[in-house]
Structure formats: structure tokens, C-alpha cells
Amino acid sequence: MSYGGLLKEIKQDLKLEDVESCDLIHIGDEDYTKEEIETSEEVIAKWDFNKQNYFVW
């Protein structure tokens, strides 16, 4: 699987593993602090067929 445009940048920024070789079921038993949860952010990206790229809304 490959990523392009915005998703490629996000993958690099987050230093994510390759989805082909990582375990997507057992991702860890991290206990998040209240501060970490409150500072988390949801990002939604949608594919724009005409521009052939993702955009964030």
C-alpha cells in the first residue's frame, strides 16, 4: 500500500509503521493521561477526484 500527497506527509510526521508489516490488532497497551486525551485531535481527509489529492475538512 502506498500513500500520496497529504496522507504521505501525515504518515511521515507521525512516523507510522508500514501497514503491510505491522500488527493492526495489537497496537499496544498504552495508558493515556487525561492531558494526552484532551490534547488529541481528529483529522478527517477526503479524496478529491478532480484534484487527485486529499483535503482536510
Short mmCIF file of all heavy atoms in Angstrom, two decimals:
data_model
loop_
_atom_site.label_atom_id
_atom_site.label_comp_id
_atom_site.label_asym_id
_atom_site.label_seq_id
_atom_site.Cartn_x
_atom_site.Cartn_y
_atom_site.Cartn_z
N MET A 1 0.85 -1.16 0.00
CA MET A 1 0.00 0.00 0.00
C MET A 1 0.90 1.22 0.00
O MET A 1 1.91 1.27 0.68
CB MET A 1 -0.89 -0.03 1.24
CG MET A 1 -1.69 1.23 1.41
SD MET A 1 -2.78 1.17 2.82
CE MET A 1 -4.24 0.56 2.01
N SER A 2 0.52 2.22 -0.75
CA SER A 2 1.30 3.45 -0.79
C SER A 2 0.39 4.65 -0.53
O SER A 2 -0.81 4.58 -0.75
CB SER A 2 2.01 3.61 -2.12
OG SER A 2 1.06 3.73 -3.16
N TYR A 3 0.98 5.70 -0.06
CA TYR A 3 0.26 6.93 0.24
C TYR A 3 0.83 8.05 -0.60
O TYR A 3 2.01 8.07 -0.90
CB TYR A 3 0.41 7.30 1.72
CG TYR A 3 -0.14 6.26 2.66
CD1 TYR A 3 0.70 5.32 3.24
CD2 TYR A 3 -1.48 6.23 2.97
CE1 TYR A 3 0.20 4.36 4.11
CE2 TYR A 3 -1.99 5.28 3.83
CZ TYR A 3 -1.14 4.35 4.39
OH TYR A 3 -1.64 3.41 5.25
N GLY A 4 -0.01 8.99 -0.94
CA GLY A 4 0.44 10.14 -1.70
C GLY A 4 -0.10 11.42 -1.11
O GLY A 4 -1.03 11.41 -0.31
N GLY A 5 0.49 12.52 -1.47
CA GLY A 5 0.02 13.84 -1.07
C GLY A 5 -0.04 14.02 0.43
O GLY A 5 0.92 13.75 1.16
N LEU A 6 -1.18 14.49 0.91
CA LEU A 6 -1.37 14.82 2.32
C LEU A 6 -1.19 13.59 3.22
O LEU A 6 -0.55 13.69 4.27
CB LEU A 6 -2.74 15.44 2.54
CG LEU A 6 -3.11 15.81 3.96
CD1 LEU A 6 -2.13 16.84 4.50
CD2 LEU A 6 -4.53 16.33 4.02
N LEU A 7 -1.73 12.44 2.84
CA LEU A 7 -1.60 11.26 3.68
C LEU A 7 -0.15 10.82 3.81
O LEU A 7 0.27 10.34 4.86
CB LEU A 7 -2.46 10.11 3.16
CG LEU A 7 -3.96 10.27 3.37
CD1 LEU A 7 -4.70 9.04 2.89
CD2 LEU A 7 -4.29 10.52 4.82
N LYS A 8 0.64 11.00 2.76
CA LYS A 8 2.06 10.67 2.83
C LYS A 8 2.76 11.56 3.85
O LYS A 8 3.57 11.10 4.65
CB LYS A 8 2.70 10.83 1.45
CG LYS A 8 4.16 10.44 1.41
CD LYS A 8 4.70 10.55 0.01
CE LYS A 8 6.15 10.13 -0.07
NZ LYS A 8 6.68 10.22 -1.44
N GLU A 9 2.43 12.85 3.84
CA GLU A 9 3.02 13.78 4.81
C GLU A 9 2.61 13.43 6.24
O GLU A 9 3.44 13.45 7.15
CB GLU A 9 2.58 15.21 4.49
CG GLU A 9 3.13 15.77 3.21
CD GLU A 9 2.59 17.14 2.90
OE1 GLU A 9 2.27 17.89 3.84
OE2 GLU A 9 2.49 17.47 1.70
N ILE A 10 1.34 13.10 6.44
CA ILE A 10 0.85 12.74 7.77
C ILE A 10 1.55 11.48 8.27
O ILE A 10 1.97 11.40 9.41
CB ILE A 10 -0.68 12.56 7.76
CG1 ILE A 10 -1.37 13.91 7.52
CG2 ILE A 10 -1.17 11.94 9.06
CD1 ILE A 10 -2.85 13.81 7.27
N LYS A 11 1.68 10.49 7.39
CA LYS A 11 2.35 9.24 7.76
C LYS A 11 3.80 9.52 8.19
O LYS A 11 4.27 8.98 9.18
CB LYS A 11 2.33 8.26 6.59
CG LYS A 11 2.94 6.91 6.90
CD LYS A 11 2.81 6.00 5.69
CE LYS A 11 3.36 4.62 5.96
NZ LYS A 11 4.79 4.55 6.07
N GLN A 12 4.49 10.39 7.46
CA GLN A 12 5.87 10.73 7.81
C GLN A 12 5.93 11.50 9.12
O GLN A 12 6.78 11.23 9.97
CB GLN A 12 6.52 11.55 6.70
CG GLN A 12 6.79 10.74 5.46
CD GLN A 12 7.27 11.60 4.29
OE1 GLN A 12 7.14 12.82 4.31
NE2 GLN A 12 7.80 10.95 3.28
N ASP A 13 5.01 12.47 9.31
CA ASP A 13 5.01 13.27 10.54
C ASP A 13 4.75 12.40 11.77
O ASP A 13 5.34 12.63 12.83
CB ASP A 13 3.95 14.36 10.46
CG ASP A 13 4.31 15.46 9.48
OD1 ASP A 13 5.47 15.51 9.05
OD2 ASP A 13 3.41 16.25 9.13
N LEU A 14 3.85 11.43 11.65
CA LEU A 14 3.51 10.56 12.77
C LEU A 14 4.47 9.39 12.93
O LEU A 14 4.36 8.64 13.90
CB LEU A 14 2.08 10.04 12.61
CG LEU A 14 0.97 11.09 12.65
CD1 LEU A 14 -0.37 10.45 12.38
CD2 LEU A 14 0.96 11.81 13.99
N LYS A 15 5.38 9.24 11.96
CA LYS A 15 6.35 8.14 11.99
C LYS A 15 5.64 6.80 12.13
O LYS A 15 5.98 5.97 12.98
CB LYS A 15 7.37 8.35 13.10
CG LYS A 15 8.17 9.62 12.93
CD LYS A 15 9.15 9.83 14.06
CE LYS A 15 9.95 11.09 13.80
NZ LYS A 15 9.69 12.16 14.67
N LEU A 16 4.64 6.59 11.28
CA LEU A 16 3.85 5.37 11.32
C LEU A 16 4.57 4.21 10.65
O LEU A 16 5.35 4.39 9.72
CB LEU A 16 2.50 5.60 10.61
CG LEU A 16 1.60 6.66 11.22
CD1 LEU A 16 0.36 6.85 10.35
CD2 LEU A 16 1.20 6.27 12.63
N GLU A 17 4.27 3.00 11.13
CA GLU A 17 4.84 1.79 10.55
C GLU A 17 4.17 1.50 9.21
O GLU A 17 3.08 1.99 8.92
CB GLU A 17 4.59 0.60 11.47
CG GLU A 17 5.29 0.66 12.80
CD GLU A 17 4.96 -0.56 13.63
OE1 GLU A 17 5.05 -1.68 13.11
OE2 GLU A 17 4.61 -0.38 14.79
N ASP A 18 4.80 0.65 8.43
CA ASP A 18 4.22 0.20 7.19
C ASP A 18 3.04 -0.71 7.50
O ASP A 18 3.19 -1.69 8.24
CB ASP A 18 5.28 -0.55 6.37
CG ASP A 18 4.76 -1.01 5.03
OD1 ASP A 18 3.73 -0.48 4.56
OD2 ASP A 18 5.39 -1.90 4.43
N VAL A 19 1.86 -0.44 6.96
CA VAL A 19 0.66 -1.23 7.27
C VAL A 19 0.77 -2.66 6.77
O VAL A 19 0.06 -3.53 7.25
CB VAL A 19 -0.63 -0.57 6.72
CG1 VAL A 19 -0.90 0.73 7.41
CG2 VAL A 19 -0.57 -0.42 5.23
N GLU A 20 1.64 -2.92 5.82
CA GLU A 20 1.80 -4.27 5.30
C GLU A 20 2.55 -5.18 6.28
O GLU A 20 2.39 -6.39 6.25
CB GLU A 20 2.55 -4.24 3.97
CG GLU A 20 1.85 -3.46 2.88
CD GLU A 20 0.53 -4.06 2.45
OE1 GLU A 20 0.38 -5.30 2.49
OE2 GLU A 20 -0.36 -3.29 2.06
N SER A 21 3.35 -4.60 7.16
CA SER A 21 4.18 -5.43 8.05
C SER A 21 3.88 -5.24 9.54
O SER A 21 4.50 -5.88 10.37
CB SER A 21 5.66 -5.12 7.81
OG SER A 21 5.93 -3.78 8.13
N CYS A 22 2.94 -4.39 9.90
CA CYS A 22 2.68 -4.16 11.33
C CYS A 22 1.42 -4.90 11.78
O CYS A 22 0.62 -5.35 10.99
CB CYS A 22 2.57 -2.67 11.62
SG CYS A 22 1.12 -1.89 10.92
N ASP A 23 1.28 -5.03 13.08
CA ASP A 23 0.14 -5.70 13.70
C ASP A 23 -0.92 -4.64 13.99
O ASP A 23 -0.76 -3.82 14.89
CB ASP A 23 0.58 -6.39 14.99
CG ASP A 23 -0.53 -7.17 15.66
OD1 ASP A 23 -1.69 -7.08 15.23
OD2 ASP A 23 -0.23 -7.89 16.62
N LEU A 24 -2.00 -4.66 13.24
CA LEU A 24 -3.05 -3.65 13.40
C LEU A 24 -4.06 -4.02 14.49
O LEU A 24 -4.91 -3.21 14.84
CB LEU A 24 -3.77 -3.43 12.07
CG LEU A 24 -2.90 -2.92 10.93
CD1 LEU A 24 -3.71 -2.83 9.65
CD2 LEU A 24 -2.29 -1.58 11.28
N ILE A 25 -3.97 -5.23 15.02
CA ILE A 25 -4.88 -5.67 16.08
C ILE A 25 -4.31 -5.33 17.45
O ILE A 25 -4.96 -4.72 18.27
CB ILE A 25 -5.14 -7.19 15.99
CG1 ILE A 25 -5.71 -7.57 14.62
CG2 ILE A 25 -6.07 -7.63 17.12
CD1 ILE A 25 -7.03 -6.93 14.27
N HIS A 26 -3.08 -5.73 17.70
CA HIS A 26 -2.44 -5.49 19.00
C HIS A 26 -1.50 -4.30 18.85
O HIS A 26 -0.32 -4.46 18.59
CB HIS A 26 -1.68 -6.74 19.45
CG HIS A 26 -2.55 -7.94 19.53
ND1 HIS A 26 -2.63 -8.87 18.53
CD2 HIS A 26 -3.43 -8.33 20.48
CE1 HIS A 26 -3.50 -9.80 18.85
NE2 HIS A 26 -4.00 -9.49 20.02
N ILE A 27 -2.04 -3.11 19.06
CA ILE A 27 -1.26 -1.90 18.84
C ILE A 27 -0.56 -1.42 20.10
O ILE A 27 0.18 -0.46 20.07
CB ILE A 27 -2.11 -0.77 18.25
CG1 ILE A 27 -3.28 -0.45 19.16
CG2 ILE A 27 -2.59 -1.13 16.85
CD1 ILE A 27 -4.05 0.79 18.77
N GLY A 28 -0.79 -2.06 21.21
CA GLY A 28 -0.13 -1.69 22.45
C GLY A 28 -1.13 -1.49 23.57
O GLY A 28 -2.33 -1.39 23.35
N ASP A 29 -0.62 -1.47 24.75
CA ASP A 29 -1.46 -1.30 25.94
C ASP A 29 -1.16 0.03 26.61
O ASP A 29 -1.04 0.12 27.82
CB ASP A 29 -1.23 -2.45 26.92
CG ASP A 29 -1.69 -3.78 26.35
OD1 ASP A 29 -2.67 -3.78 25.60
OD2 ASP A 29 -1.07 -4.81 26.67
N GLU A 30 -1.01 1.06 25.81
CA GLU A 30 -0.68 2.36 26.36
C GLU A 30 -1.81 2.90 27.22
O GLU A 30 -2.98 2.80 26.87
CB GLU A 30 -0.40 3.38 25.24
CG GLU A 30 0.77 3.05 24.37
CD GLU A 30 0.38 2.21 23.16
OE1 GLU A 30 -0.81 1.91 22.99
OE2 GLU A 30 1.27 1.84 22.41
N ASP A 31 -1.45 3.42 28.36
CA ASP A 31 -2.41 4.12 29.22
C ASP A 31 -2.21 5.61 28.97
O ASP A 31 -1.14 6.15 29.25
CB ASP A 31 -2.18 3.79 30.69
CG ASP A 31 -2.56 2.36 31.02
OD1 ASP A 31 -3.54 1.86 30.42
OD2 ASP A 31 -1.90 1.75 31.87
N TYR A 32 -3.21 6.26 28.45
CA TYR A 32 -3.11 7.67 28.13
C TYR A 32 -3.56 8.51 29.31
O TYR A 32 -4.53 8.20 29.98
CB TYR A 32 -3.96 8.01 26.90
CG TYR A 32 -3.48 7.30 25.66
CD1 TYR A 32 -4.16 6.22 25.15
CD2 TYR A 32 -2.33 7.71 25.02
CE1 TYR A 32 -3.71 5.56 24.01
CE2 TYR A 32 -1.86 7.07 23.88
CZ TYR A 32 -2.57 5.99 23.39
OH TYR A 32 -2.11 5.35 22.27
N THR A 33 -2.84 9.60 29.56
CA THR A 33 -3.22 10.50 30.63
C THR A 33 -4.39 11.37 30.17
O THR A 33 -4.66 11.48 28.97
CB THR A 33 -2.04 11.43 31.01
OG1 THR A 33 -1.75 12.28 29.90
CG2 THR A 33 -0.81 10.63 31.39
N LYS A 34 -5.05 11.99 31.12
CA LYS A 34 -6.17 12.87 30.80
C LYS A 34 -5.70 14.01 29.89
O LYS A 34 -6.38 14.39 28.96
CB LYS A 34 -6.78 13.42 32.09
CG LYS A 34 -7.99 14.29 31.86
CD LYS A 34 -8.59 14.77 33.16
CE LYS A 34 -9.79 15.64 32.90
NZ LYS A 34 -10.38 16.15 34.14
N GLU A 35 -4.49 14.52 30.17
CA GLU A 35 -3.94 15.62 29.36
C GLU A 35 -3.71 15.17 27.91
O GLU A 35 -4.01 15.89 26.98
CB GLU A 35 -2.63 16.10 29.97
CG GLU A 35 -2.01 17.25 29.21
CD GLU A 35 -0.72 17.71 29.85
OE1 GLU A 35 -0.79 18.17 31.01
OE2 GLU A 35 0.32 17.60 29.19
N GLU A 36 -3.19 13.96 27.73
CA GLU A 36 -2.96 13.44 26.38
C GLU A 36 -4.27 13.28 25.62
O GLU A 36 -4.35 13.59 24.43
CB GLU A 36 -2.22 12.11 26.43
CG GLU A 36 -0.78 12.23 26.87
CD GLU A 36 -0.13 10.88 27.08
OE1 GLU A 36 -0.79 9.95 27.59
OE2 GLU A 36 1.06 10.77 26.74
N ILE A 37 -5.28 12.80 26.29
CA ILE A 37 -6.58 12.61 25.64
C ILE A 37 -7.19 13.95 25.27
O ILE A 37 -7.73 14.13 24.18
CB ILE A 37 -7.52 11.80 26.55
CG1 ILE A 37 -6.98 10.37 26.70
CG2 ILE A 37 -8.94 11.80 26.00
CD1 ILE A 37 -7.70 9.54 27.74
N GLU A 38 -7.09 14.93 26.17
CA GLU A 38 -7.67 16.25 25.91
C GLU A 38 -6.97 16.99 24.79
O GLU A 38 -7.56 17.82 24.11
CB GLU A 38 -7.66 17.08 27.19
CG GLU A 38 -8.66 16.59 28.22
CD GLU A 38 -8.54 17.32 29.55
OE1 GLU A 38 -7.57 18.08 29.75
OE2 GLU A 38 -9.42 17.12 30.40
N THR A 39 -5.69 16.71 24.57
CA THR A 39 -4.94 17.41 23.53
C THR A 39 -4.94 16.66 22.20
O THR A 39 -4.34 17.13 21.23
CB THR A 39 -3.48 17.67 23.96
OG1 THR A 39 -2.85 16.43 24.22
CG2 THR A 39 -3.41 18.57 25.17
N SER A 40 -5.60 15.51 22.16
CA SER A 40 -5.65 14.76 20.90
C SER A 40 -6.53 15.51 19.90
O SER A 40 -7.35 16.36 20.26
CB SER A 40 -6.17 13.35 21.12
OG SER A 40 -7.50 13.38 21.57
N GLU A 41 -6.33 15.21 18.64
CA GLU A 41 -7.02 15.93 17.58
C GLU A 41 -7.50 14.94 16.53
O GLU A 41 -6.80 14.00 16.18
CB GLU A 41 -6.03 16.91 16.94
CG GLU A 41 -6.59 17.72 15.81
CD GLU A 41 -5.55 18.66 15.22
OE1 GLU A 41 -4.48 18.84 15.82
OE2 GLU A 41 -5.83 19.20 14.16
N GLU A 42 -8.71 15.15 16.05
CA GLU A 42 -9.25 14.31 14.98
C GLU A 42 -9.05 15.04 13.66
O GLU A 42 -9.35 16.22 13.54
CB GLU A 42 -10.74 14.07 15.21
CG GLU A 42 -11.37 13.22 14.13
CD GLU A 42 -12.84 12.95 14.38
OE1 GLU A 42 -13.41 13.55 15.30
OE2 GLU A 42 -13.40 12.13 13.66
N VAL A 43 -8.51 14.33 12.69
CA VAL A 43 -8.29 14.89 11.37
C VAL A 43 -9.04 14.03 10.37
O VAL A 43 -8.89 12.81 10.35
CB VAL A 43 -6.79 14.92 11.01
CG1 VAL A 43 -6.58 15.44 9.60
CG2 VAL A 43 -6.01 15.75 12.02
N ILE A 44 -9.86 14.67 9.55
CA ILE A 44 -10.61 13.96 8.52
C ILE A 44 -10.13 14.44 7.16
O ILE A 44 -10.11 15.64 6.89
CB ILE A 44 -12.13 14.20 8.67
CG1 ILE A 44 -12.61 13.71 10.04
CG2 ILE A 44 -12.89 13.52 7.54
CD1 ILE A 44 -14.04 14.06 10.35
N ALA A 45 -9.72 13.51 6.34
CA ALA A 45 -9.27 13.84 4.99
C ALA A 45 -10.17 13.14 3.98
O ALA A 45 -10.59 12.01 4.18
CB ALA A 45 -7.82 13.40 4.79
N LYS A 46 -10.48 13.83 2.92
CA LYS A 46 -11.36 13.30 1.87
C LYS A 46 -10.64 13.39 0.53
O LYS A 46 -9.94 14.37 0.27
CB LYS A 46 -12.66 14.09 1.83
CG LYS A 46 -13.68 13.53 0.86
CD LYS A 46 -15.00 14.27 0.94
CE LYS A 46 -15.97 13.68 -0.05
NZ LYS A 46 -17.26 14.36 -0.01
N TRP A 47 -10.81 12.38 -0.29
CA TRP A 47 -10.18 12.34 -1.60
C TRP A 47 -10.96 13.23 -2.57
O TRP A 47 -12.18 13.14 -2.69
CB TRP A 47 -10.15 10.91 -2.13
CG TRP A 47 -9.55 10.78 -3.48
CD1 TRP A 47 -10.23 10.54 -4.65
CD2 TRP A 47 -8.18 10.87 -3.84
NE1 TRP A 47 -9.35 10.48 -5.69
CE2 TRP A 47 -8.07 10.67 -5.23
CE3 TRP A 47 -7.01 11.10 -3.13
CZ2 TRP A 47 -6.88 10.71 -5.92
CZ3 TRP A 47 -5.81 11.12 -3.80
CH2 TRP A 47 -5.75 10.92 -5.17
N ASP A 48 -10.27 14.13 -3.25
CA ASP A 48 -10.86 14.97 -4.30
C ASP A 48 -10.45 14.39 -5.64
O ASP A 48 -9.29 14.48 -6.04
CB ASP A 48 -10.37 16.41 -4.16
CG ASP A 48 -11.04 17.35 -5.15
OD1 ASP A 48 -11.38 16.91 -6.28
OD2 ASP A 48 -11.23 18.52 -4.80
N PHE A 49 -11.38 13.74 -6.31
CA PHE A 49 -11.08 13.06 -7.55
C PHE A 49 -10.58 14.02 -8.62
O PHE A 49 -9.65 13.70 -9.36
CB PHE A 49 -12.32 12.31 -8.06
CG PHE A 49 -12.07 11.51 -9.30
CD1 PHE A 49 -11.41 10.30 -9.23
CD2 PHE A 49 -12.45 11.98 -10.54
CE1 PHE A 49 -11.15 9.56 -10.37
CE2 PHE A 49 -12.21 11.25 -11.69
CZ PHE A 49 -11.55 10.04 -11.60
N ASN A 50 -11.15 15.20 -8.69
CA ASN A 50 -10.73 16.17 -9.71
C ASN A 50 -9.30 16.66 -9.50
O ASN A 50 -8.55 16.82 -10.46
CB ASN A 50 -11.69 17.36 -9.75
CG ASN A 50 -13.07 16.96 -10.22
OD1 ASN A 50 -13.21 16.09 -11.07
ND2 ASN A 50 -14.09 17.57 -9.64
N LYS A 51 -8.92 16.90 -8.26
CA LYS A 51 -7.58 17.38 -7.95
C LYS A 51 -6.59 16.23 -7.74
O LYS A 51 -5.39 16.46 -7.63
CB LYS A 51 -7.59 18.25 -6.70
CG LYS A 51 -8.37 19.54 -6.90
CD LYS A 51 -8.34 20.39 -5.67
CE LYS A 51 -9.12 21.67 -5.90
NZ LYS A 51 -9.14 22.52 -4.71
N GLN A 52 -7.11 15.00 -7.66
CA GLN A 52 -6.28 13.83 -7.44
C GLN A 52 -5.41 13.97 -6.19
O GLN A 52 -4.23 13.68 -6.19
CB GLN A 52 -5.41 13.53 -8.68
CG GLN A 52 -6.22 13.10 -9.88
CD GLN A 52 -6.85 11.74 -9.70
OE1 GLN A 52 -6.17 10.76 -9.54
NE2 GLN A 52 -8.18 11.69 -9.69
N ASN A 53 -6.06 14.43 -5.10
CA ASN A 53 -5.36 14.60 -3.85
C ASN A 53 -6.38 14.63 -2.72
O ASN A 53 -7.58 14.76 -2.96
CB ASN A 53 -4.55 15.89 -3.84
CG ASN A 53 -3.36 15.83 -2.90
OD1 ASN A 53 -3.25 14.93 -2.08
ND2 ASN A 53 -2.49 16.81 -3.00
N TYR A 54 -5.90 14.50 -1.49
CA TYR A 54 -6.75 14.58 -0.32
C TYR A 54 -6.84 16.01 0.17
O TYR A 54 -5.92 16.81 -0.04
CB TYR A 54 -6.17 13.72 0.83
CG TYR A 54 -6.22 12.25 0.54
CD1 TYR A 54 -5.14 11.60 -0.05
CD2 TYR A 54 -7.34 11.51 0.86
CE1 TYR A 54 -5.20 10.24 -0.32
CE2 TYR A 54 -7.40 10.15 0.60
CZ TYR A 54 -6.33 9.52 0.02
OH TYR A 54 -6.38 8.20 -0.25
N PHE A 55 -7.94 16.34 0.83
CA PHE A 55 -8.04 17.63 1.50
C PHE A 55 -8.65 17.41 2.87
O PHE A 55 -9.40 16.46 3.08
CB PHE A 55 -8.82 18.66 0.66
CG PHE A 55 -10.28 18.34 0.51
CD1 PHE A 55 -11.23 18.90 1.35
CD2 PHE A 55 -10.73 17.50 -0.51
CE1 PHE A 55 -12.58 18.63 1.21
CE2 PHE A 55 -12.07 17.23 -0.66
CZ PHE A 55 -13.00 17.78 0.20
N VAL A 56 -8.29 18.25 3.82
CA VAL A 56 -8.76 18.15 5.20
C VAL A 56 -9.94 19.08 5.38
O VAL A 56 -9.92 20.23 4.94
CB VAL A 56 -7.62 18.52 6.17
CG1 VAL A 56 -8.12 18.47 7.61
CG2 VAL A 56 -6.44 17.59 5.98
N TRP A 57 -10.99 18.58 6.05
CA TRP A 57 -12.13 19.44 6.34
C TRP A 57 -12.40 19.54 7.79
O TRP A 57 -11.94 19.02 8.64
CB TRP A 57 -13.42 19.10 5.63
CG TRP A 57 -13.69 17.74 5.10
CD1 TRP A 57 -12.85 16.95 4.39
CD2 TRP A 57 -14.91 17.01 5.17
NE1 TRP A 57 -13.48 15.81 4.02
CE2 TRP A 57 -14.74 15.82 4.47
CE3 TRP A 57 -16.13 17.27 5.74
CZ2 TRP A 57 -15.75 14.87 4.35
CZ3 TRP A 57 -17.13 16.33 5.61
CH2 TRP A 57 -16.93 15.15 4.92
#
